[in-house]
Amino acid sequence: MKIREYGVTIGQLPTGEKNDITDVPDVRVGHVTIQRELEGDQEYACTGVTAIVPHGGSLFREKVTAASYVINGFGKTTGLVQVNELGVLESPIMLTNTFSVPAVTQGTLEYMLAGHEEIGDTTGTINLVVGECNDSSLNSIRRCVVQPQDAIEAIQKATNGPVEEGAVGAGTGMVTFGYKGGIGSSSRIVSAADASYTVGVLVLSNFGSKHEFLVDKLFPAGENSLPAVEKPTDGSIIMVLATDAPLSDRQLLRVAKRAGIGLGRTGSHFGHGSGDIVIAFSTAHKIPHKAEGIAETRTQLREDHAVMNQLFAAAAEATEEAIYNSLSQAKTTTGRKGNTVYAFPFERFGIQ
């Protein structure tokens, strides 16, 4: 269940209809989940791939405005340098485990090349964006079970329906605050004058220890005797923020920074070994790969209008709630070496 079904309301802004990132029109999400026994002494595949697709057309031929923000840089991503240099996104955003970034990058490249004969031939190359977290508590990560075809399948499965959350796709083997985490999502609606905009966030959560989780602010103190996993590293989180608000890449960067507020509200202090990264995009403009004119014209929000503060609040609220949803939607999972990570027992705390 989503965290709201336990009687918890985060923030003040209203959510979208589905309360996830696909409330932003035409944004799509797809997962490939991999869970199976492997040869060897209790080796197990507990991992996957998640694709976030900004719109249903050709992302290479019709790019979207984008930015990224690194809160703490202990991560192994691809493509963010060019995103920040040019302010556009031209491929799906792909999420997976740390050692599968090369395979997922290859699969995404194959998918994009198959649909665009011009890439690397009559025009330039393509910038692929892949983010990761380390799922080695549950997944035999050294086996590198994710294959390029899994990335292709995740993109092909992407829909604008309700997002499947918890231990699915890239979140299959992830651990948050010592409990089962993974994929979580939430959205907010911002209204000003005659306009209404949606902010949606999807997280791949894999960070924190039990004593850092600020669960007491959600519920009255309750009994929790379930053991929590103590990981040898600080873990990571990838936060993907989508909006249909007409923002420049610089404005998107400002909004993306506020996702860190939502992360901090859950209990994170952005640890030394944590990869805390935000990737943000706006679907308000489609930027053609080729254009005849020397200039382009677009609409963007005024910086000094009150709507900007609402967008900042939306980013913080949706990120915080997405993290809680990654926990509340996850199921107890057993993986490599018989390691078990329990779902957080919200039913013992919540108001149902």
Side-chain angles (χ1 to χ4, degrees), residues 223-273:
E223 181 184 357
N224 174 19
S225 58
L226 282 180
V229 173
E230 293 297 332
K231 299 188 295 183
T233 60
D234 291 325
S236 297
I237 182 170
I238 304 293
M239 296 156 277
V240 179
L241 185 150
T243 184
D244 57 356
L247 301 174
S248 68
D249 59 300
R250 182 186 57 78
Q251 291 174 320
L252 267 176
L253 176 60
R254 298 190 71 206
V255 175
K257 290 178 180 179
R258 273 65 184 185
I261 297 171
L263 174 59
R265 286 173 178 170
T266 67
S268 171
H269 60 267
F270 319 150
H272 160 72

Side-chain angles (χ1 to χ4, degrees), residues 312-327:
F312 292 164
E317 289 183 13
T319 301
E320 181 182 6
E321 186 162 343
I323 293 168
Y324 297 142
N325 284 335
S326 76
L327 285 155

Side-chain angles (χ1 to χ4, degrees), residues 211-338:
H211 74 273
E212 294 170 330
F213 188 21
L214 300 179
V215 68
D216 287 347
K217 80 174 208 174
L218 302 179
F219 308 114
E223 181 184 357
N224 174 19
S225 58
L226 282 180
V229 173
E230 293 297 332
K231 299 188 295 183
T233 60
D234 291 325
S236 297
I237 182 170
I238 304 293
M239 296 156 277
V240 179
L241 185 150
T243 184
D244 57 356
L247 301 174
S248 68
D249 59 300
R250 182 186 57 78
Q251 291 174 320
L252 267 176
L253 176 60
R254 298 190 71 206
V255 175
K257 290 178 180 179
R258 273 65 184 185
I261 297 171
L263 174 59
R265 286 173 178 170
T266 67
S268 171
H269 60 267
F270 319 150
H272 160 72
S274 187
D276 305 321
I277 297 167
V278 189
I279 307 167
F281 63 87
S282 169
T283 61
H285 308 110
K286 291 186 174 64
I287 304 151
H289 182 71
K290 289 186 177 181
E292 298 295 329
I294 193 173
E296 63 181 14
T297 302
R298 66 174 70 180
T299 300
Q300 70 179 52
L301 297 179
R302 283 184 59 89
E303 210 84 23
D304 58 354
H305 195 283
V307 71
M308 289 300 295
N309 276 331
Q310 290 191 63
L311 290 170
F312 292 164
E317 289 183 13
T319 301
E320 181 182 6
E321 186 162 343
I323 293 168
Y324 297 142
N325 284 335
S326 76
L327 285 155
S328 69
Q329 297 278 74
K331 306 293 185 184
T332 297
T333 303
T334 299
R336 65 181 294 266
K337 306 298 182 184

Side-chain angles (χ1 to χ4, degrees), residues 22-94:
T22 60
D23 284 321
V24 180
D26 210 21
V27 172
R28 297 141 190 261
V29 174
H31 301 297
V32 166
T33 300
I34 302 170
Q35 285 189 282
R36 64 174 184 267
E37 292 183 358
L38 302 173
E39 290 185 6
D41 183 17
Q42 293 185 291
E43 298 296 332
Y44 193 77
C46 188
T47 190
V49 183
T50 295
I52 302 97
V53 184
H55 64 72
S58 165
L59 276 164
F60 183 75
R61 294 169 186 149
E62 292 185 304
K63 311 175 199 302
V64 295
T65 307
S68 73
Y69 179 60
V70 178
I71 299 171
N72 195 71
F74 208 107
K76 292 81 179 169
T77 58
T78 68
L80 299 189
V81 171
Q82 184 170 313
V83 166
N84 287 346
E85 183 69 21
L86 301 183
V88 297
L89 179 71
E90 59 185 14
S91 75
I93 297 169
M94 307 298 292

Side-chain angles (χ1 to χ4, degrees), residues 31-32 47-50 95-97 135 168-174 182-183 204:
H31 301 297
V32 166
T47 190
V49 183
T50 295
L95 305 177
T96 190
N97 74 67
D135 59 10
V168 296
T172 303
M174 302 302 173
I183 298 293
L204 175 62

